[in-house]
Amino acid sequence: MVFNRLETVKQTLGAIRKAAPRQFFIAADGPRESRPGEYEMCQAVRNYILEHIDWKCEVKVRFQEKNLGCKEHVSSSISWFFSEVEEGIILEDDCLPGKDFFRYAAAALEFYRNDPSVMHINGNILRNYVPDEKNCAYFYRYAHVWGWASWRRAWKFYDADLKDFTPDKMYGIFPDDRRQAARWNEILTNVIAEKPGFNTWDFQWTYAVMVNNAWCVSPVRNLVSNIGAEQSTHDMKDVAEFLCTQTFDMPEMLNFPISGEHCSLEIERDAYRMFYKKKNLFLRIFAKISKIFSGIL
């Protein structure tokens, strides 16, 4: 999934070229009318990709003429993708996969293909983790979307508009952590209300995983680096230091745990603190002042 960033596309496409997928889907959002020169930037990205597909594969494209925005473009593009295939790997233009990401994702797609309790395969993790010596992955509930994979059977539960959301469901998901449940209620309520900063699609996907009592499979070593958080069109700058991480090799033999085993609530709490926990008032004011003086606002 791409937009207007040619430099990150060049790097990510280079990694995809090495994997040489047999099917290659490209979804591109359209330019914003309020941004002079963005049409040319978007066109340059599309032309570069099409001109540099130099391996044998089936190519399908979904190029928008007008800008849909993060929420609609990404969610509808993934729905289009899964209308064409039963399972697959998804990368945005600033997600640079390491050399073992495709091998790991393909193996996990096959291993959990018929396990409805697994809905998502993470490629990017917050920190390397070894729950035991024999498995290459572990489970928790947060879906990271900086290089991931899934199935049509799982995506069918996705609803960008959260029509079935009720606050009591979050307290059922986090019965021992009412503070985290309350924070998720606040996040999802803001998404439904389309408040500034919440024109996104990914909170809804994590909600779909959690409300269906399913798991995300995470590798024990980080496999994807985010190389574009500083230039992101949505506000990822506060977490850039966690995303721009080194990628590592995976063992030659990939042993996956059975779903429900080796669940890491410790790392889940880490993810909550880094990405979702609301900052106190002083930190929020400081962050806003910093953005004003840096020219971001």
Side-chain angles (χ1 to χ4, degrees), residues 119-139:
M119 289 178 59
H120 179 98
I121 299 164
N122 285 326
N124 174 281
I125 60 174
L126 305 181
R127 59 184 171 92
N128 294 325
Y129 175 68
V130 183
D132 58 51
E133 294 183 355
K134 70 175 184 176
N135 289 313
C136 69
Y138 60 91
F139 296 95

Side-chain angles (χ1 to χ4, degrees), residues 199-218:
N199 175 29
T200 188
W201 66 276
D202 50 343
F203 291 132
Q204 300 94 307
W205 178 230
T206 291
Y207 170 75
V209 173
M210 294 191 298
V211 80
N212 283 285
N213 298 310
W215 297 104
C216 302
V217 181
S218 293

Side-chain angles (χ1 to χ4, degrees), residues 21 48 76 85 145 178 252 258 268 297:
Y48 181 88
S76 64
V85 297
V145 294
R178 294 185 64 82
E252 183 176 351
I258 304 300
E268 186 174 293
L297 296 179

Side-chain angles (χ1 to χ4, degrees), residues 9 19 22 33 42 51 75 90 97 107 131 145 168-169 188 199 223 231-232 238 263 275-276 286 291:
V9 164
R22 293 189 301 273
E33 294 181 359
C42 292
E51 291 168 4
S75 62
I90 299 169
V145 294
D168 60 294
K169 291 182 179 179
L188 297 174
N199 175 29
L223 301 178
Q231 296 81 38
S232 178
D238 291 341
C263 306
F275 293 108
Y276 306 111
F286 178 78
K291 289 180 181 180

Side-chain angles (χ1 to χ4, degrees), residues 14-29:
I16 294 172
R17 181 186 295 117
K18 293 177 182 178
R22 293 189 301 273
Q23 290 178 292
F24 188 27
F25 295 77
I26 310 155
D29 201 3

Side-chain angles (χ1 to χ4, degrees), residues 46 85 117 184 261:
R46 300 175 188 192
V85 297
S117 70
W184 270 102
E261 298 178 348

Side-chain angles (χ1 to χ4, degrees), residues 44-77:
V45 166
R46 300 175 188 192
N47 291 341
Y48 181 88
I49 295 173
L50 294 176
E51 291 168 4
H52 288 80
I53 301 174
D54 54 7
W55 70 95
K56 187 177 181 180
C57 65
E58 176 189 5
V59 178
K60 294 190 177 183
V61 301
R62 185 177 189 259
F63 292 166
Q64 301 296 334
E65 294 184 7
K66 296 183 179 181
N67 186 265
L68 298 181
C70 178
K71 175 183 175 181
E72 185 177 351
H73 166 62
V74 176
S75 62
S76 64
S77 295

